[in-house]
Amino acid sequence: MLDVMVTAIGAVTSVGLDAVTTCASIRAGISRPESLAEHEILSLETMTPVGVTGHPITLVTRGFLGVGRWLQMAALALDDLCRAAGLPQAACTSFWDATQCYVVLPYLDVERAILEVALRSEQAVAQALLEPLKARVARRCSLARSTVWCRGRLGVLEAVEQAAQHLTCRDCERVIVLAVDSLTDSPGLALLAEARRLKDDYNPVGLAPGEAAVALMLEAPRSAEARSAEALGVIEAVASAPGQLHDSEHQRAPGEELARVVKEVLGACRPPHHRVTTTIADLNGEQWRAEAYGHAQVRIAQRSWDGDAVELPATCVGDLGAAMAALQIMLACRALHRGYATGDRILLTVDDDNDYVGAAVVGKR
């Protein structure tokens, strides 16, 4: 059991330029899709070129590409986190020197890196993103202790596990997990189109690309109580594992590993296997994700997990790539804190593009 408290949230998405607005919009089912001129297809209805449908943050990211796009969103998410939680200014060195920051980004793709030198290694990304980001937020907060993790969807869950270790060993007092990604720029759209993953007239079971930055502040109970910080939620358990492998020698049934990690996190809670009635999943319209979720659902007794009550934030903001798991945690914390969750625990399921699956349980303090 992790027992890591989430004491602050910040975000910028296509349905809100802060965390509170984003959560309220998604709860209300608000969506703001746009036609993306960066990638056009031939409409079967009009036989004219039309842009694919996506969920960009137009006012924030228009005109930017790759790392520049991430920088625009990351700075706003950090500012929202600091302002909403009333965190001290960067001049308070005692606070920020005890704060570790993990910046979670998508996997570095060779084809995407051809178009942008800054994406060719984690060191290059750190230099191109972290240094400008530190300068951008220098007055509001200090990111002196920061690390880049190019780990995709599962990176947020891995960062939470790493944060729990740091907090237990008292290497730091608090950890900020900042996840940022964009699938709506031209290189991202080109890769998705090549893999036939975009939702369009020719592929009705594809995804709608989105973009976002989400920041979470994690603290141990002792640290939060010392500064009288209110807990928005508690991450009780996290688990991840290799998913469905495609080679014939090690082939697994769809959903088998997702079911295993769900059982693991439910068993790690206190009391174990307490029935969870709400799930926030990263399903995005792709058939293989839905199949894995459905197969996992039938492998777990309903007395432990009611997989039918599932919330799908991707219907409002699109697929957010590496930022999706952070958004799920934020939505769970907000629902529990505001009291509109149907139970006292929420399950999160994550299915990564690189054959890894993960799950987490967020509960009340």
Side-chain angles (χ1 to χ4, degrees):
M1 188 170 179
L2 295 182
D3 197 28
V4 175
M5 294 172 56
V6 180
T7 56
I9 55 177
V12 55
T13 68
S14 61
V15 294
L17 299 183
D18 58 67
V20 172
T21 304
T22 292
C23 292
S25 297
I26 293 176
R27 185 188 178 199
I30 295 174
S31 180
R32 298 182 61 190
E34 296 183 22
S35 178
L36 303 176
E38 290 84 355
H39 183 80
E40 294 184 334
I41 61 166
L42 190 65
S43 170
L44 290 180
E45 182 178 355
T46 63
M47 298 307 293
T48 58
V50 295
V52 296
T53 300
H55 299 263
I57 313 174
T58 306
L59 295 177
V60 176
T61 60
R62 176 181 290 171
F64 292 90
L65 187 70
V67 174
R69 210 171 180 103
W70 298 344
L71 176 62
Q72 291 294 107
M73 295 185 290
L76 288 178
L78 280 175
D79 183 71
D80 180 38
L81 177 139
C82 295
R83 182 180 61 255
L87 300 182
Q89 298 285 331
C92 183
T93 56
S94 60
F95 181 90
W96 292 106
D97 286 348
T99 303
Q100 173 72 45
C101 179
Y102 289 110
V103 182
V104 180
L105 300 172
Y107 291 100
L108 297 182
D109 191 282
V110 176
E111 296 182 18
R112 195 168 184 174
I114 293 175
L115 300 177
E116 192 168 357
V117 177
L119 296 177
R120 293 184 181 177
S121 68
E122 285 196 3
Q123 292 79 8
V125 172
Q127 183 176 3
L129 177 64
L130 279 185
E131 296 309 315
L133 181 59
K134 290 177 182 179
R136 183 79 65 88
V137 300
R139 292 185 179 180
R140 200 68 185 83
C141 61
S142 172
L143 301 180
R145 299 177 60 177
S146 52
T147 305
V148 166
W149 276 15
C150 298
R151 295 290 297 155
R153 249 178 170 81
L154 265 293
V156 171
L157 301 187
E158 293 173 353
V160 169
E161 289 184 299
Q162 189 69 28
Q165 295 179 18
H166 283 312
L167 296 174
T168 300
C169 299
R170 302 199 176 192
D171 294 335
C172 59
E173 292 296 321
R174 62 201 63 84
V175 177
I176 293 176
V177 178
L178 172 63
V180 57
D181 197 0
S182 174
L183 303 181
T184 61
D185 60 1
S186 52
L189 290 172
L191 292 178
L192 291 172
E194 185 177 353
R196 296 186 58 80
R197 296 182 59 194
L198 289 174
K199 181 177 181 178
D200 53 38
D201 289 351
Y202 304 89
N203 182 31
V205 291
L207 63 85
E211 59 185 358
V214 180
L216 309 169
M217 176 164 281
L218 312 178
E219 296 187 68
R222 65 175 188 281
S223 175
E225 291 168 2
R227 65 183 191 90
S228 301
E230 185 179 12
L232 304 179
V234 178
I235 303 177
E236 298 184 3
V238 169
S240 60
Q244 181 183 359
L245 303 181
H246 300 295
D247 57 288
S248 57
E249 184 179 353
H250 302 93
Q251 187 75 25
R252 298 189 181 99
E256 180 180 348
E257 289 304 310
L258 182 58
R260 188 176 71 80
V261 294
V262 169
K263 290 178 181 178
E264 184 177 339
V265 294
L266 293 179
C269 298
R270 296 291 182 270
H273 294 287
H274 175 83
R275 188 169 186 263
V276 174
T277 58
T278 302
T279 304
I280 302 178
D282 67 339
L283 302 183
N284 61 357
E286 292 184 289
Q287 184 174 343
W288 63 272
R289 288 185 193 276
E291 288 179 351
Y293 184 87
H295 282 280
Q297 184 179 355
V298 300
R299 293 173 182 271
I300 301 176
Q302 197 172 27
R303 64 176 179 273
S304 297
W305 175 37
D306 181 4
D308 292 334
V310 57
E311 298 178 9
L312 308 176
T315 59
C316 295
V317 295
D319 192 308
L320 304 183
M324 181 59 81
L327 179 77
Q328 292 171 260
I329 293 174
M330 183 182 76
L331 292 173
C333 289
R334 187 69 178 169
L336 292 166
H337 180 65
R338 296 288 292 174
Y340 54 80
T342 56
D344 57 1
R345 284 193 176 101
I346 296 177
L347 174 71
L348 315 177
T349 62
V350 180
D351 206 339
D352 192 73
D353 304 339
N354 286 45
D355 283 329
Y356 278 84
V357 295
V361 172
V362 179
K364 289 183 179 180
R365 180 62 184 170

